[in-house]
Amino acid sequence: MATSVVSGLNSLSCISSFRNNKNTNVLLGRRRVLVFNLRRRGFYVSNVASDQKHKTKDSSSDEGFTMDVFQPDSTSVLSSIKYHAEFTPSFSPEKFELPKAYYATAESVRDMLIMNWNTTYDFYEKMNVKQAYYLSMEFLQGRALLNAIGNLGLTGPYADALTKLGYSLEDVARQEPDAALGNGGLGRLASCFLDSMATLNYPAWGYGLRYRYGLFKQLITKDGQEEVAENWLEMGNPWEIVRNDISYPVKFYGKVIEGADRRKEWVGGEDITAVAYDAPIPGYKTKTTINLRLWSTKLGAETFDLRAFNDGNHAKAYEAQKKAEKICYILYPGDESLEGKTLRLKQQYTLCSASLQDIIARFEKRSGNAVNWDQFPEKVAVQMNDTHPTLCIPELLRILMDVKGLSWKQAWEITQRTVAYTNHTVLPEALEKWSFTLLRELLPRHVEIIAMIDEELLHTILAEYGTEDLDLLQEKLNQMRILDNVEIPSSVLELLIKSTENTVDVDKAEEQEEEEQQDEEGKDEETEAVKVETTKEEEETKVKKVKVEDPQAKIKRIFGPHPNRPQVVHMANLCVVSGHAVNGVAEIHSEIVKKEVFNEFYELWPEKFQNKTNGVTPRRWLSFCNPELSEIITKWTGSDAWLVNTEKLAELRKFADNEELQSEWRKAKRNNKMKIVSLIKETTGYVVSPDAMFDVQIKRIHEYKRQLLNIFGIVYRYKKMKEMSPEERKEKFVPRVCIFGGKAFATYVQAKRIVKFITDVAATVNHDSEIGDLLKVVFVPDYNVSVAEVLIPGSELSQHISTAGMEASGTSNMKFSMNGCLLIGTLDGANVEIREEVGEDNFFLFGAQAHEIAGLRKERAEGKFVPDPRFEEVKAFVRTGVFGPYNYEELMGSLEGNEGYGRADYFLVGKDFPDYIECQDQVDEAYRDQKKWTKMSILNTAGSSKFSSDRTIHQYARDIWRIEPVELP
């Protein structure tokens, strides 16, 4: 931009006339520009699903308002931005630099969102519609500005207005930090769902926590990954509104007492306050704007110990406040220590308690004076996104019984009809198990309630399987109980003992009958035969004298807790037992859930289990992050209807061989690759060639996601290159830029070793002048949504190479495919369905399949596995020190041996390695034929329609939440 323009803006010359305008009706002028006109109209709501009027019982007499929206142009947008720069400033008035431009722009957009936002919920309140509430520990929103103005259809006016102020919309948008409210796919999925809920006009909210420092900001140094706190809230957040009038008490510790009316009460302990922070979530080209409510924790000023502070004991003075505030400091605090485990539990309970109290308060408000609790499930649907919000089950029961006075039977029925559970993992360590002792100390009333649920489950199991086969019963209880290795409830114990006593009585009766029969037969025997039988009678007498085990002792021996095993609470089992629906997130994952993870529960309640394959929003993940390709899609499909009806993407198939389309497609991909080149230079200092294939693996660093397999393939490629002449290299290999991104949890040592290994390989390869642009390796630091929005549109090959059967779904695979990127992967998670949709010829498949994994691990344990020589070659090459002095023995050792913790190649890197590198040869061959490659790219986009989160949310709404779309008038 021109220097003169910048200097003029810095002195605010461009808005001085606005500030000094003699017109005293500045505020009124602003309202004329931005505020929706409200007028009294008949109140109605369109039901999108059935195209019928949705009426309350008294809707005929209701009156309300409808909105005539004044669609802003660049002039009115410019005035709004100027207004906020002047009257709602977060910066000094002397300058108008990029950060101030961003805040003024964001506040201008927020004005428009607030009107839709308030009207949406006024309407929902009045119509008393059923509403879904999505509880998640993560919401990985990314930047909000471009998404908001894109959904409002105002990208053009805002771009024009900012140009007049001397800035580009893109530069202003880059000033926004990513909201640090999540880590990976779980949080990004939740955010996609919110976008689809709003776009499809479903009445729904999201609930989460407002993490001050996020997970962490990732730095890449010579020592690998380092973590520092996120600073996303350092300059405030223009998108959030603190609701100081909406706060709820949250209690920990204390004790449970029983009143004269036999109602339980949880008293004493430690109390904090959860305060609501709201952020508007706009739908695409709809007035519907839903809410993401985040909780922050605090204590009042009265808890500050002024005397201790003045005495110099400053830490003691604010100890209680810090204890409350730290609950929302970071996402997933380390849980190696007891303090860390306690903090995680406090986080989960804070989310559940504050959200349930809020949901119930809204239900009561909408019900007026006649609250019918049996109607609660008809007005409320609670979705638990993984097991983190599990405590909302006992919390809902606690409120219904202890606060509202409902019976156990009524409260339990209401809860079961209200809550539903989404499973996101098959990894045993990720299916949360909490210490029974810790949970009982922290939440004593909730453990009592969980014990009641466990007791209900045990009675159901006894009714299903009976008590004749105690071994079978013991097996079922071990697999299905919520409270593992905890005393059997007395009511169940009595049934088991009684059943055992009955069995003993029957045995004795049969024995007596047999003896009497033998006596009768003995009378007919000869006298000398009596002598012969003497020895036998003595033996029988000895047998009869053997002490029969007391039934009560026997039952306690079989079913009682084992002193050497920990007592734990299985949160996933609690979810399955308590929810009316349990869903997996991809077809193969849902089958594993039914057949393996929760097979016993599936046999008991098959009607509960469903599949809801994940999806991503095509607005953010195609239209807004890849506008050039989006314009091409709109041109060739005839309209932009694909943005809300992705099935229209399939129309691209008939043009896949069209040379004009292919040329436009390649040009868009090239332009997006240039953005990646700039990002890599800015974040790592490396210079890469846009002529190379861009090969990307961006996801959380975890052994099962097998970044190690990827980097081993790169090392093998590099070693082969070094063994060749320059001419041979050029003939054999397609130039590649291999890009990694993702965070390793701070306490996950092996994952951090993998990050270190990748960066060491990059440092060696990228400085090898013999190799040059034939191979580059890049680890992009601090991977987040904004980084993904640059990398995904420009990627040509994306790696989704997890060990088969271990990835629940994945969503980045959907984003890549939607943007015309080819995938290399295993038959795992949503890869299976993507391959079916885009065509087998347009997906590079390798590796063992899910049903083979257990057998392969057994083969390894028996010492029968023989590693491929090429795999051994790579390990030996690494051990030469070619990639630096770091000792990689722990990393290499995890791939060796046949048994032991951290050994025996549990994730089958060595097994799949030969198939993987041979599949990579097929990738090179296909890439050399750019016409063929471009066709494959087009067909990937054309086949991605199934993977819109709109489709997923329609299915949740229809099959689980049973809510209807509601359009504002």
Side-chain angles (χ1 to χ4, degrees):
M1 72 187 68
T3 305
S4 59
V5 173
V6 175
S7 62
L9 284 168
N10 286 345
S11 63
L12 268 184
S13 60
C14 67
I15 64 172
S16 61
S17 59
F18 173 75
R19 188 197 312 175
N20 299 323
N21 197 314
K22 293 180 181 179
N23 181 1
T24 59
N25 293 316
V26 172
L27 292 176
L28 294 176
R30 171 176 167 265
R31 288 185 182 276
R32 282 197 299 270
V33 170
L34 294 174
V35 175
F36 298 114
N37 298 314
L38 307 179
R39 69 178 68 164
R40 305 297 288 181
R41 293 278 178 87
F43 222 50
Y44 74 95
V45 56
S46 172
N47 183 324
V48 176
S50 60
D51 197 29
Q52 295 175 347
K53 297 289 182 67
H54 181 107
K55 298 179 180 180
T56 57
K57 57 187 177 184
D58 59 345
S59 62
S60 59
S61 61
D62 278 343
E63 285 192 338
F65 51 84
T66 186
M67 301 184 301
D68 290 337
V69 181
F70 178 88
Q71 188 70 5
D73 57 16
S74 60
T75 302
S76 59
V77 166
L78 177 63
S79 296
S80 175
I81 295 172
K82 287 180 178 182
Y83 169 84
H84 282 289
E86 182 75 5
F87 292 104
T88 56
S90 300
F91 301 87
S92 60
E94 294 82 15
K95 298 178 180 179
F96 189 71
E97 296 177 333
L98 273 171
K100 185 172 184 176
Y102 159 66
Y103 271 81
T105 303
E107 285 158 347
S108 164
V109 176
R110 193 182 70 176
D111 282 348
M112 284 176 276
L113 295 181
I114 285 175
M115 289 303 301
N116 282 353
W117 192 19
N118 290 340
T119 304
T120 298
Y121 282 95
D122 284 346
F123 192 50
Y124 291 171
E125 291 279 335
K126 191 172 186 68
M127 300 304 290
N128 195 17
V129 296
K130 183 175 183 179
Q131 189 165 324
Y133 298 95
Y134 197 82
L135 273 65
S136 178
M137 287 295 285
E138 297 185 42
F139 286 94
L140 199 57
Q141 292 288 94
R143 291 169 175 159
L145 180 59
L146 291 181
N147 190 74
I149 63 174
N151 277 357
L152 289 168
L154 295 175
T155 303
Y158 270 91
D160 292 344
L162 287 168
T163 299
K164 293 173 184 176
L165 290 171
Y167 293 119
S168 72
L169 175 58
E170 290 74 19
D171 287 340
V172 170
R174 275 195 288 269
Q175 300 304 303
E176 180 179 2
D178 275 39
L181 298 171
N183 174 43
L186 186 78
R188 189 50 243 169
L189 177 75
S191 295
C192 283
F193 280 3
L194 292 183
D195 179 88
S196 288
M197 290 171 192
T199 297
L200 301 174
N201 301 303
Y202 282 114
W205 270 22
Y207 279 109
L209 294 181
R210 181 179 179 266
Y211 304 105
R212 185 181 300 183
Y213 303 117
L215 182 71
F216 59 80
K217 183 175 183 178
Q218 182 191 55
L219 306 178
I220 299 298
T221 70
K222 61 181 179 61
D223 297 316
Q225 172 182 295
E226 293 185 9
E227 306 90 22
V228 297
E230 290 268 15
N231 62 352
W232 74 287
L233 288 173
E234 202 165 80
M235 297 176 70
N237 178 9
W239 302 104
E240 70 181 11
I241 296 176
V242 58
R243 305 294 192 187
N244 289 308
D245 59 330
I246 300 176
S247 62
Y248 298 96
V250 178
K251 182 186 291 295
F252 306 107
Y253 304 109
K255 62 181 180 179
V256 181
I257 61 174
E258 187 172 343
D261 59 355
R262 304 198 68 181
R263 186 185 295 187
K264 296 290 185 73
E265 184 181 1
W266 183 19
V267 298
E270 176 185 303
D271 295 291
I272 64 164
T273 301
V275 181
Y277 284 74
D278 287 351
I281 308 295
Y284 177 73
K285 291 188 177 180
T286 176
K287 299 170 189 176
T288 300
T289 301
I290 65 172
N291 192 33
L292 171 59
R293 176 158 287 176
L294 304 173
W295 301 106
S296 186
T297 48
K298 69 172 189 177
L299 280 177
E302 67 276 5
T303 61
F304 182 78
D305 191 338
L306 191 59
R307 175 175 293 179
F309 191 85
N310 287 330
D311 288 343
N313 195 347
H314 299 161
K316 180 183 176 184
Y318 53 76
E319 180 181 7
Q321 290 175 315
K322 287 297 181 186
K323 190 180 289 187
E325 291 171 1
K326 75 177 183 180
I327 291 173
C328 291
Y329 273 178
I330 69 168
L331 169 65
Y332 302 138
D335 61 354
E336 298 295 316
S337 65
L338 176 61
E339 292 78 8
K341 290 180 173 66
T342 303
L343 185 56
R344 280 211 188 188
L345 260 178
K346 283 186 171 183
Q347 286 185 333
Q348 294 186 5
Y349 180 61
T350 297
L351 167 64
C352 296
S353 180
S355 302
L356 262 295
Q357 290 181 71
D358 194 45
I359 291 167
I360 287 171
R362 297 179 67 79
F363 171 74
E364 290 181 311
K365 179 184 176 184
R366 292 182 182 184
S367 299
N369 296 325
V371 178
N372 181 354
W373 288 106
D374 289 329
Q375 286 295 306
F376 189 78
E378 304 302 322
K379 297 296 182 182
V380 171
V382 174
Q383 188 70 36
M384 300 178 292
N385 191 29
D386 216 346
T387 53
H388 307 125
T390 304
L391 288 169
C392 75
I393 295 165
E395 176 67 358
L396 178 55
L397 284 161
R398 181 190 71 83
I399 295 172
L400 292 176
M401 291 191 297
D402 299 355
V403 181
K404 305 303 176 183
L406 274 63
S407 67
W408 159 255
K409 182 179 179 182
Q410 187 181 10
W412 177 230
E413 181 184 347
I414 289 169
T415 300
Q416 286 185 299
R417 291 168 56 206
T418 300
V419 301
Y421 162 54
T422 299
N423 172 271
H424 284 279
T425 184
V426 299
L427 298 177
E429 65 270 22
L431 291 170
E432 286 188 301
K433 298 182 288 288
W434 286 106
S435 161
F436 177 77
T437 304
L438 172 60
L439 197 59
R440 183 173 55 188
E441 180 184 4
L442 189 68
L443 303 169
R445 179 56 177 143
H446 296 75
V447 169
E448 288 184 355
I449 293 170
I450 292 170
M452 295 169 75
I453 300 172
D454 189 56
E455 186 173 357
E456 290 279 345
L457 171 64
L458 292 179
H459 281 288
T460 302
I461 294 172
L462 260 63
E464 179 71 18
Y465 296 104
T467 56
E468 293 181 3
D469 189 339
L470 293 183
D471 290 337
L472 173 65
L473 190 60
Q474 182 184 26
E475 178 187 339
K476 294 298 179 182
L477 295 190
N478 287 341
Q479 293 168 334
M480 300 176 73
R481 279 199 72 184
I482 299 165
L483 299 180
D484 186 17
N485 202 37
V486 176
E487 289 281 359
I488 295 283
S490 58
S491 65
V492 177
L493 199 62
E494 289 171 6
L495 285 175
L496 290 171
I497 292 170
K498 185 176 180 181
S499 173
T500 306
E501 287 174 344
N502 290 339
T503 302
V504 171
D505 290 343
V506 169
D507 290 343
K508 286 182 178 178
E510 290 177 352
E511 184 180 316
Q512 185 176 353
E513 183 180 342
E514 186 178 340
E515 288 177 354
E516 291 175 354
Q517 184 177 351
Q518 289 175 352
D519 288 344
E520 289 294 328
E521 292 173 355
K523 291 177 182 179
D524 298 329
E525 298 293 334
E526 297 293 334
T527 303
E528 59 268 20
V530 174
K531 295 178 181 179
V532 175
E533 293 293 323
T534 300
T535 305
K536 291 183 180 180
E537 288 178 2
E538 289 175 352
E539 289 176 358
E540 287 174 5
T541 302
K542 289 178 182 178
V543 171
K544 290 175 185 177
K545 288 180 179 179
V546 174
K547 184 178 179 182
V548 178
E549 186 176 12
D550 176 68
Q552 185 169 342
K554 180 180 180 181
I555 292 301
K556 288 187 175 181
R557 175 178 57 79
I558 296 174
F559 296 101
H562 193 286
N564 297 326
R565 281 178 50 211
Q567 295 182 311
V568 297
V569 183
H570 289 276
M571 307 305 270
N573 289 5
L574 178 55
C575 288
V576 175
V577 172
S578 306
H580 66 86
V582 178
N583 72 278
V585 291
E587 288 177 1
I588 185 175
H589 170 238
S590 294
E591 288 304 306
I592 292 171
V593 164
K594 290 190 292 186
K595 294 177 181 177
E596 297 177 26
V597 182
F598 299 125
N599 179 251
E600 291 75 24
F601 293 105
Y602 174 66
E603 290 177 351
L604 196 59
W605 300 304
E607 71 281 356
K608 281 192 181 188
F609 289 80
Q610 305 182 19
N611 175 59
K612 297 289 175 280
T613 298
N614 284 342
V616 301
T617 166
R619 274 76 63 182
R620 180 183 285 271
W621 290 111
L622 184 49
S623 178
F624 303 153
C625 75
N626 199 345
E628 188 172 351
L629 185 64
S630 297
E631 288 178 8
I632 294 169
I633 294 170
T634 296
K635 170 186 172 182
W636 287 86
T637 60
S639 74
D640 65 355
W642 59 270
L643 276 164
V644 288
N645 182 7
T646 51
E647 291 180 359
K648 292 189 175 296
L649 291 173
E651 294 178 16
L652 291 170
R653 286 195 176 103
K654 59 188 177 187
F655 304 114
D657 289 307
N658 185 285
E659 291 186 4
E660 182 184 353
L661 172 58
Q662 288 200 0
S663 176
E664 293 174 2
W665 202 270
R666 281 193 292 270
K667 181 182 177 182
K669 183 65 74 174
R670 173 80 178 195
N671 291 340
N672 286 323
K673 289 174 71 175
M674 293 305 299
K675 293 178 183 178
I676 296 179
V677 170
S678 298
L679 174 71
I680 290 173
K681 179 69 167 63
E682 178 185 343
T683 57
T684 69
Y686 291 133
V687 177
V688 299
S689 169
D691 296 325
M693 179 202 300
F694 281 17
D695 172 352
V696 179
Q697 187 181 19
I698 44 175
K699 52 185 74 233
R700 176 167 54 93
I701 309 298
H702 196 291
E703 289 168 277
Y704 89 83
K705 293 179 183 289
R706 300 204 294 189
Q707 285 90 353
L708 193 56
L709 176 60
N710 186 351
I711 194 63
F712 261 49
I714 292 168
V715 169
Y716 180 78
R717 190 181 188 90
Y718 175 65
K719 184 176 185 296
K720 293 297 135 184
M721 285 181 176
K722 294 292 287 182
E723 294 169 355
M724 296 178 180
S725 67
E727 294 76 20
E728 288 173 326
R729 290 182 202 127
K730 188 174 181 181
E731 177 69 22
K732 170 70 175 174
F733 295 105
V734 166
R736 284 207 200 191
V737 177
C738 301
I739 302 169
F740 293 84
K743 295 179 179 181
F745 277 122
T747 56
Y748 191 174
V749 176
Q750 193 74 323
K752 294 177 78 169
R753 288 191 185 113
I754 293 171
V755 173
K756 169 66 175 165
F757 183 42
I758 293 169
T759 57
D760 281 353
V761 171
T764 299
V765 171
N766 296 347
H767 292 97
D768 191 328
S769 57
E770 289 185 2
I771 302 302
D773 287 337
L774 262 183
L775 183 63
K776 297 291 185 187
V777 182
V778 177
F779 193 102
V780 178
D782 203 35
Y783 173 64
N784 57 23
V785 173
S786 295
V787 171
E789 288 172 342
V790 176
L791 292 178
I792 290 173
S795 299
E796 293 170 290
L797 179 73
S798 181
Q799 305 216 24
H800 303 272
I801 55 178
S802 52
T803 311
M806 303 198 76
E807 183 75 84
S809 169
T811 51
S812 65
N813 45 6
M814 302 171 184
K815 297 163 193 168
F816 280 105
S817 182
M818 198 173 277
N819 280 269
C821 178
L822 276 61
L823 272 54
I824 180 173
T826 52
L827 282 178
D828 196 25
N831 284 359
V832 177
E833 292 162 76
I834 291 174
R835 183 169 176 262
E836 290 172 355
E837 295 296 319
V838 305
E840 295 180 4
D841 294 339
N842 304 307
F843 185 105
F844 296 102
L845 177 67
F846 76 95
Q849 296 187 32
H851 67 273
E852 300 174 312
I853 301 301
L856 291 170
R857 287 182 178 140
K858 182 181 179 183
E859 179 185 275
R860 180 76 181 232
E862 293 171 351
K864 297 177 182 178
F865 172 70
V866 179
D868 189 273
R870 292 166 291 184
F871 184 65
E872 296 300 289
E873 185 181 345
V874 171
K875 289 191 295 177
F877 187 52
V878 172
R879 283 178 163 132
T880 65
V882 64
F883 300 116
Y886 186 85
N887 186 348
Y888 283 110
E889 277 307 308
E890 289 288 341
L891 194 59
M892 297 299 109
S894 71
L895 305 172
E896 298 173 334
N898 297 325
E899 59 183 359
Y901 180 76
R903 302 276 293 175
D905 193 12
Y906 184 78
F907 300 99
L908 305 181
V909 175
K911 173 63 181 177
D912 280 348
F913 182 76
D915 200 11
Y916 173 70
I917 59 174
E918 288 162 13
C919 190
Q920 287 285 13
D921 289 339
Q922 297 171 26
V923 172
D924 277 1
E925 182 182 352
Y927 193 77
R928 287 190 178 94
D929 185 345
Q930 277 296 291
K931 184 174 181 180
K932 176 184 176 182
W933 186 275
T934 305
K935 178 181 178 179
M936 295 168 74
S937 173
I938 293 169
L939 291 173
N940 262 265
T941 300
S944 65
S945 63
K946 175 180 177 178
F947 305 104
S948 167
S949 51
D950 293 352
R951 184 263 315 151
T952 315
I953 287 301
H954 271 314
Q955 293 177 345
Y956 272 100
R958 180 192 65 212
D959 302 335
I960 297 178
W961 304 333
R962 298 182 178 90
I963 60 174
E964 299 285 352
V966 176
E967 274 194 287
L968 298 174

